């Protein structure tokens, strides 16, 4: 970009239209301005979805989080990054969507659960950035995230997504109010996820890493998982550390390369994206012993029309 300064990307965002240019704004926000924040916020967004028993029960039944938690994390992160980097209608974006849709279409997932998961991808990063970002998200970034995921949802076949930013936020809050409750499957998927986060650190630090995540969870999530609260001093330390990080990042020059799909140290796909296509990602078919009630029912064949008269 021609002009320098810490807010060069923000000035570009202000020039763009949050409806027409929603992908470009979202790509700048997640890839250049807040890559660390979006990664952490989307991790917490996924944890939040496991507080809905119908979601955690399906994940528990497939065994994927018990057997391949790291691969499930990497697949989700990279497929989302491919769409954000290249666009959901680009060749790589369409590949990513096909992988996502193939996985979802195998299972009996309600449209409301799909709408809820989609809403967390919009609003959890906004909430995180309001608390811990090096700057607050611009109104264009808030609206662009909404329009971006609304477009992605349409391509995933998610129905009845509100066409208003506040209405979709209201749906998210109401869905949490009515569905969040403790279930053993919530707890199991939550433990697998905390263990995954802890596994990224040397063994002596893993318990501290898990406690650090607990320090960020609000009471309604801890209750749905039956997780204990972190010590108050740790919650204060984690919050203070994130805000100190934001103050330091505020002093750094703007990022010049996107962090979205550059993942050479990826644990499942080393060197990504070199040598990989989005079609290489994704979960395996359902296990053969899975209770068939978890599987999507095939669409019934179209009703037969009247027999043609022909020659009789």
């Amino acid at each position: 970009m021609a002009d320098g300064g810490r807010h060069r990307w923000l000035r570009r965002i202000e020039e763009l239209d949050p409806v027409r240019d929603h992908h470009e704004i979202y790509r700048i926000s997640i890839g250049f301005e807040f890559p660390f924040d979006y990664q952490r916020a989307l991790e917490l967004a996924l944890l939040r979805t496991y507080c809905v028993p119908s979601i955690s029960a399906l994940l528990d039944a497939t065994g994927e989080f018990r057997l391949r938690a790291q691969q499930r994390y990497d697949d989700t992160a990279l497929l989302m990054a491919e769409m954000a980097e290249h666009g959901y209608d680009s060749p790589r974006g369409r590949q990513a969507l096909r992988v996502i849709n193939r996985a979802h279409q195998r299972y009996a997932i309600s449209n409301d659960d799909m709408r809820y998961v989609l809403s967390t991808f919009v609003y959890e990063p906004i909430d995180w950035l309001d608390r811990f970002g090096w700057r607050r998200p611009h109104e264009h970034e808030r609206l662009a995230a909404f329009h971006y995921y609304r477009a992605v949802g349409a391509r995933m076949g998610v129905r009845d997504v509100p066409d208003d930013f506040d209405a979709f936020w209201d749906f998210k809050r109401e869905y949490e109010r009515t569905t969040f409750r403790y279930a053993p499957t919530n707890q199991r998927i939550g433990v697998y996820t905390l263990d995954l986060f802890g596994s990224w650190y040397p063994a002596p630090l893993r318990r501290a890493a898990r406690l650090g995540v607990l320090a960020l969870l609000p009471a309604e999530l801890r209750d749905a998982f039956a997780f204990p609260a972190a010590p108050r001093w740790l919650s204060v330390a984690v919050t203070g550390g994130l805000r100190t990080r934001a103050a330091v990042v505020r002093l750094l020059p703007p990022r010049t390369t996107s962090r979205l799909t550059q993942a050479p140290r990826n644990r499942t796909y080393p060197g990504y994206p070199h040598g990989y296509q989005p079609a290489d990602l994704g979960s395996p078919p359902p296990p053969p012993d899975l209770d068939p009630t978890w599987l999507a029912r095939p669409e019934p064949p179209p009703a037969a029309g009247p027999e043609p008269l022909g020659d009789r």
Side-chain angles (χ1 to χ4, degrees):
M1 298 176 67
D3 58 349
R6 187 64 180 100
H7 293 287
R8 59 188 289 193
W9 288 117
L10 178 58
R11 286 192 286 274
R12 175 60 180 154
I13 287 167
E14 290 173 335
E15 295 170 353
L16 296 170
D17 181 274
V19 179
R20 183 189 63 239
D21 304 316
H22 59 258
H23 167 247
E24 178 64 9
I25 294 172
Y26 186 70
R27 186 183 72 87
I28 292 171
S29 187
I30 189 173
F32 291 88
E33 291 285 74
F34 306 109
F36 169 89
D37 299 282
Y38 266 91
Q39 188 173 6
R40 302 287 84 79
L42 290 172
E43 289 165 0
L44 292 181
L46 290 172
L47 262 177
R48 184 172 282 270
T49 67
Y50 308 152
C51 296
V52 179
S54 56
I55 294 175
S56 68
L58 173 59
L59 296 172
D60 187 60
T62 66
E64 283 296 298
F65 271 70
R66 176 173 54 85
L67 300 171
R68 287 176 283 272
Q70 183 65 62
Q71 185 176 355
R72 293 286 67 77
Y73 174 90
D74 290 336
D75 284 343
T76 301
L78 291 173
L79 290 167
M80 292 175 65
E82 287 285 354
M83 288 190 290
E85 181 70 85
H86 303 291
Y88 42 73
D89 286 334
S90 69
R92 290 183 74 95
R94 288 196 298 269
Q95 274 192 49
L97 273 168
R98 281 195 293 271
V99 172
I100 293 168
N101 288 338
R102 182 174 66 239
H104 290 160
Q105 289 164 2
R106 292 166 173 160
Y107 299 103
I109 306 173
S110 75
N111 187 66
D112 279 348
D113 280 354
M114 294 281 283
R115 278 199 298 168
Y116 173 64
V117 173
L118 194 70
S119 75
T120 66
F121 293 161
V122 177
Y123 300 108
E124 291 307 304
I126 290 172
D127 285 346
W128 176 281
L129 291 173
D130 279 335
R131 295 178 65 198
F132 302 124
W134 66 266
R135 64 168 173 81
R136 299 281 294 275
H138 190 278
E139 185 66 14
H140 286 192
E141 290 173 296
R142 298 169 190 265
L143 292 175
F146 165 71
H147 289 290
Y148 173 82
Y149 278 108
R150 196 163 183 271
V152 169
R155 286 157 177 78
M156 293 173 61
V158 182
R159 304 181 306 278
D160 303 322
V161 176
D163 59 5
D164 177 80
F165 178 94
D166 292 327
F168 200 23
W169 206 334
D170 289 342
F171 161 79
K172 175 183 180 292
R173 286 191 291 249
E174 179 63 13
Y175 204 65
E176 291 174 348
R177 188 187 69 80
T178 57
T179 62
F180 275 21
R181 64 181 184 278
Y182 169 76
T185 54
N186 295 3
Q187 187 176 62
R188 284 196 290 272
I189 298 300
V191 168
Y192 296 147
T193 305
L194 288 183
D195 287 346
L196 169 65
F197 294 164
S199 72
W200 300 340
Y201 299 89
L205 299 178
R206 289 175 184 171
R207 182 173 181 274
R210 289 191 291 266
L211 282 173
V213 176
L214 289 179
L216 291 169
L217 297 187
E220 67 268 21
L221 269 68
R222 295 198 307 270
D223 291 346
F225 288 122
F227 285 166
R232 179 168 174 76
W233 67 264
L234 181 60
S235 298
V236 171
V238 169
T239 300
L242 288 167
R243 289 179 175 153
T244 299
R245 177 195 173 276
V248 171
V249 172
R250 196 173 295 122
L251 302 175
L252 299 178
R255 188 177 298 279
T256 57
T257 57
S258 173
R259 287 276 300 277
L260 273 169
T261 58
Q262 301 304 312
R265 297 182 182 178
N266 186 281
R267 292 167 174 82
T268 308
Y269 308 98
Y272 195 95
H274 302 292
Y276 295 97
Q277 293 290 321
D280 299 324
L281 312 177
S283 57
D289 58 347
L290 182 68
D291 185 332
T293 59
W294 292 113
L295 299 176
R297 296 179 181 179
E299 292 291 327
E307 182 182 348
L309 293 176
D311 294 328
R312 294 187 177 180

